[in-house]
Amino acid sequence: MTLKTGSCLCGARAYEIDGEIDAVWICHCSLCRKASGANGNAILIVPRHQFRWVRGEDQGVTYAPRETYTITRCKTCGTPLPAEADEANIYVTAGTLDTPLGRGVRTHLFCASRADWDRDEDDVRYFEARSTGEA
Ligand SMILES: [Zn+2]
Ligand SMILES: [Zn+2]
């Protein structure tokens, strides 16, 4: 049985996932773009019995900008955290994983809402770290 761990930026809140889970889902809808401040939310859909908090259960703050759309963040550092609104599954923010997932992205949702900048330019540049050359 593989164990994956994750945490927020300040480390106050942390979790574990038991066993294999599906590859990453990215939602590009306008709500996820606003909530993430980026090109969308990258999510792991984890059955509840495979997920547990190991630290900081009182560290989450949940916002409900829409009746059917909630966001949970660490109250100390603001990191978007796994969401518990669904009865069957936890929606884990993929960027909070501390261990490799071993899988890539399989599903893109709301592609019609994708930001027009959510693509590489022909002359896209990749740096191993910062573009200043520092590690
Ligand atoms: Zn935090
Ligand atoms: Zn979305």
Side-chain angles (χ1 to χ4, degrees), residues 81-92:
L81 290 165
E84 302 173 271
D86 186 74
E87 278 181 24
N89 300 296
I90 305 289
Y91 287 70
V92 176

Side-chain angles (χ1 to χ4, degrees), residues 26-33 35 40-41 43 69 109-110:
I26 298 183
C27 184
H28 300 275
C29 82
S30 60
L31 298 178
C32 286
R33 286 191 285 112
N41 275 319
I43 294 296
Y69 192 93
L109 299 173
F110 285 94

Side-chain angles (χ1 to χ4, degrees), residues 25-132:
W25 299 61
I26 298 183
C27 184
H28 300 275
C29 82
S30 60
L31 298 178
C32 286
R33 286 191 285 112
K34 295 278 188 190
S36 66
N39 63 345
N41 275 319
I43 294 296
L44 303 163
I45 300 177
V46 181
R48 278 185 175 270
H49 70 272
Q50 289 178 249
F51 180 95
R52 66 182 164 274
W53 293 109
V54 294
R55 197 162 64 237
E57 278 202 69
D58 60 344
Q59 289 292 309
V61 180
T62 297
Y63 302 90
R66 300 279 195 285
E67 204 170 311
T68 56
Y69 192 93
T70 60
I71 302 161
T72 301
R73 291 180 175 265
C74 172
K75 69 181 180 188
T76 302
C77 69
T79 296
L81 290 165
E84 302 173 271
D86 186 74
E87 278 181 24
N89 300 296
I90 305 289
Y91 287 70
V92 176
T93 39
T96 60
L97 276 175
D98 290 318
T99 47
L101 181 64
R103 326 244 355 218
V105 177
R106 175 178 288 138
T107 312
H108 289 271
L109 299 173
F110 285 94
C111 291
S113 299
R114 211 164 171 155
D116 75 325
W117 54 261
D118 187 4
R119 59 190 169 81
D120 286 343
E121 289 286 344
D122 292 339
D123 59 347
V124 63
R125 300 172 298 171
Y126 289 92
F127 298 96
E128 290 297 318
R130 287 194 287 173
S131 60
T132 55

